[in-house]
Short mmCIF file of all heavy atoms in Angstrom, two decimals:
data_model
loop_
_atom_site.label_atom_id
_atom_site.label_comp_id
_atom_site.label_asym_id
_atom_site.label_seq_id
_atom_site.Cartn_x
_atom_site.Cartn_y
_atom_site.Cartn_z
N TRP F 1482 -8.42 -9.49 4.37
CA TRP F 1482 -9.13 -9.87 3.15
C TRP F 1482 -10.50 -9.22 3.05
O TRP F 1482 -10.95 -8.85 1.96
CB TRP F 1482 -9.27 -11.38 3.07
CG TRP F 1482 -10.17 -11.95 4.13
CD1 TRP F 1482 -9.84 -12.29 5.41
CD2 TRP F 1482 -11.58 -12.19 4.00
NE1 TRP F 1482 -10.95 -12.73 6.09
CE2 TRP F 1482 -12.04 -12.69 5.24
CE3 TRP F 1482 -12.50 -12.05 2.96
CZ2 TRP F 1482 -13.36 -13.05 5.46
CZ3 TRP F 1482 -13.81 -12.40 3.17
CH2 TRP F 1482 -14.23 -12.89 4.42
N SER F 1483 -11.17 -9.04 4.19
CA SER F 1483 -12.53 -8.52 4.16
C SER F 1483 -12.58 -7.00 4.29
O SER F 1483 -13.63 -6.39 4.09
CB SER F 1483 -13.36 -9.14 5.28
OG SER F 1483 -12.85 -8.71 6.55
N GLY F 1484 -11.47 -6.42 4.68
CA GLY F 1484 -11.47 -4.98 4.93
C GLY F 1484 -11.86 -4.61 6.35
O GLY F 1484 -11.96 -3.43 6.67
N SER F 1485 -12.09 -5.61 7.19
CA SER F 1485 -12.55 -5.34 8.55
C SER F 1485 -11.41 -4.94 9.49
O SER F 1485 -11.67 -4.38 10.56
CB SER F 1485 -13.25 -6.57 9.12
OG SER F 1485 -12.36 -7.67 9.20
N LEU F 1486 -10.18 -5.22 9.10
CA LEU F 1486 -9.02 -4.88 9.92
C LEU F 1486 -8.02 -4.07 9.10
O LEU F 1486 -7.69 -4.45 7.98
CB LEU F 1486 -8.34 -6.14 10.44
CG LEU F 1486 -9.13 -7.00 11.41
CD1 LEU F 1486 -8.38 -8.30 11.69
CD2 LEU F 1486 -9.40 -6.28 12.71
N THR F 1487 -7.57 -2.97 9.66
CA THR F 1487 -6.55 -2.16 9.00
C THR F 1487 -5.41 -1.86 9.98
O THR F 1487 -5.62 -1.84 11.20
CB THR F 1487 -7.12 -0.84 8.47
OG1 THR F 1487 -7.72 -0.13 9.55
CG2 THR F 1487 -8.16 -1.08 7.38
N TYR F 1488 -4.25 -1.64 9.43
CA TYR F 1488 -3.05 -1.40 10.22
C TYR F 1488 -2.27 -0.26 9.55
O TYR F 1488 -2.23 -0.19 8.31
CB TYR F 1488 -2.17 -2.64 10.26
CG TYR F 1488 -2.90 -3.91 10.64
CD1 TYR F 1488 -3.56 -4.67 9.69
CD2 TYR F 1488 -2.92 -4.35 11.96
CE1 TYR F 1488 -4.24 -5.82 10.03
CE2 TYR F 1488 -3.59 -5.51 12.31
CZ TYR F 1488 -4.25 -6.24 11.33
OH TYR F 1488 -4.92 -7.38 11.68
N TYR F 1489 -1.65 0.58 10.36
CA TYR F 1489 -0.92 1.72 9.80
C TYR F 1489 0.40 1.95 10.53
O TYR F 1489 0.51 1.75 11.74
CB TYR F 1489 -1.74 3.00 9.92
CG TYR F 1489 -2.99 3.01 9.08
CD1 TYR F 1489 -4.22 2.64 9.62
CD2 TYR F 1489 -2.94 3.40 7.75
CE1 TYR F 1489 -5.37 2.64 8.84
CE2 TYR F 1489 -4.09 3.41 6.96
CZ TYR F 1489 -5.30 3.03 7.52
OH TYR F 1489 -6.43 3.04 6.75
N LYS F 1490 1.38 2.41 9.78
CA LYS F 1490 2.60 2.94 10.39
C LYS F 1490 2.20 4.18 11.18
O LYS F 1490 1.35 4.96 10.73
CB LYS F 1490 3.59 3.30 9.28
CG LYS F 1490 4.88 3.93 9.73
CD LYS F 1490 5.75 4.25 8.52
CE LYS F 1490 6.98 5.05 8.91
NZ LYS F 1490 7.86 4.30 9.82
N ASN F 1491 2.80 4.36 12.33
CA ASN F 1491 2.39 5.47 13.21
C ASN F 1491 2.45 6.82 12.50
O ASN F 1491 1.57 7.66 12.67
CB ASN F 1491 3.26 5.50 14.46
CG ASN F 1491 2.86 4.44 15.47
OD1 ASN F 1491 1.74 3.91 15.42
ND2 ASN F 1491 3.75 4.11 16.36
N SER F 1492 3.48 7.02 11.71
CA SER F 1492 3.67 8.35 11.12
C SER F 1492 2.68 8.67 10.02
O SER F 1492 2.61 9.83 9.58
CB SER F 1492 5.10 8.47 10.57
OG SER F 1492 5.31 7.56 9.51
N VAL F 1493 1.89 7.70 9.58
CA VAL F 1493 0.89 7.98 8.53
C VAL F 1493 -0.54 7.92 9.06
O VAL F 1493 -1.47 8.24 8.33
CB VAL F 1493 1.05 7.03 7.32
CG1 VAL F 1493 2.47 7.04 6.80
CG2 VAL F 1493 0.57 5.62 7.62
N LYS F 1494 -0.70 7.52 10.30
CA LYS F 1494 -2.04 7.46 10.89
C LYS F 1494 -2.70 8.83 10.83
O LYS F 1494 -2.10 9.83 11.18
CB LYS F 1494 -1.97 6.97 12.33
CG LYS F 1494 -1.74 5.49 12.48
CD LYS F 1494 -1.71 5.08 13.95
CE LYS F 1494 -1.45 3.60 14.11
NZ LYS F 1494 -1.34 3.20 15.53
N GLY F 1495 -3.95 8.84 10.41
CA GLY F 1495 -4.68 10.08 10.30
C GLY F 1495 -4.46 10.81 8.98
O GLY F 1495 -5.20 11.74 8.66
N ARG F 1496 -3.45 10.39 8.23
CA ARG F 1496 -3.19 11.01 6.92
C ARG F 1496 -3.45 10.05 5.76
O ARG F 1496 -3.91 10.47 4.71
CB ARG F 1496 -1.73 11.49 6.84
CG ARG F 1496 -1.35 12.51 7.89
CD ARG F 1496 0.02 13.10 7.60
NE ARG F 1496 1.10 12.10 7.65
CZ ARG F 1496 1.93 11.87 6.64
NH1 ARG F 1496 1.84 12.53 5.50
NH2 ARG F 1496 2.89 10.95 6.77
N PHE F 1497 -3.16 8.77 5.97
CA PHE F 1497 -3.32 7.77 4.91
C PHE F 1497 -4.50 6.86 5.26
O PHE F 1497 -4.75 6.56 6.43
CB PHE F 1497 -2.07 6.90 4.80
CG PHE F 1497 -0.85 7.60 4.24
CD1 PHE F 1497 -0.81 8.97 4.07
CD2 PHE F 1497 0.27 6.85 3.89
CE1 PHE F 1497 0.32 9.60 3.56
CE2 PHE F 1497 1.41 7.45 3.38
CZ PHE F 1497 1.42 8.84 3.22
N THR F 1498 -5.18 6.40 4.22
CA THR F 1498 -6.28 5.46 4.40
C THR F 1498 -6.15 4.33 3.39
O THR F 1498 -6.08 4.59 2.18
CB THR F 1498 -7.65 6.15 4.22
OG1 THR F 1498 -7.76 7.23 5.14
CG2 THR F 1498 -8.78 5.15 4.47
N ILE F 1499 -6.12 3.11 3.89
CA ILE F 1499 -6.08 1.95 3.01
C ILE F 1499 -7.48 1.42 2.84
O ILE F 1499 -8.29 1.42 3.79
CB ILE F 1499 -5.12 0.86 3.57
CG1 ILE F 1499 -4.91 -0.25 2.54
CG2 ILE F 1499 -5.62 0.32 4.91
CD1 ILE F 1499 -3.81 -1.24 2.92
N SER F 1500 -7.79 0.97 1.65
CA SER F 1500 -9.11 0.41 1.39
C SER F 1500 -9.00 -0.59 0.24
O SER F 1500 -7.94 -0.71 -0.39
CB SER F 1500 -10.12 1.51 1.05
OG SER F 1500 -9.73 2.19 -0.13
#
Side-chain angles (χ1 to χ4, degrees):
W1482 67 275
S1483 67
S1485 63
L1486 295 173
T1487 57
Y1488 310 85
Y1489 294 95
K1490 177 181 173 63
N1491 282 341
S1492 64
V1493 307
K1494 283 181 182 177
R1496 300 190 297 124
F1497 290 10
T1498 303
I1499 189 171
S1500 62

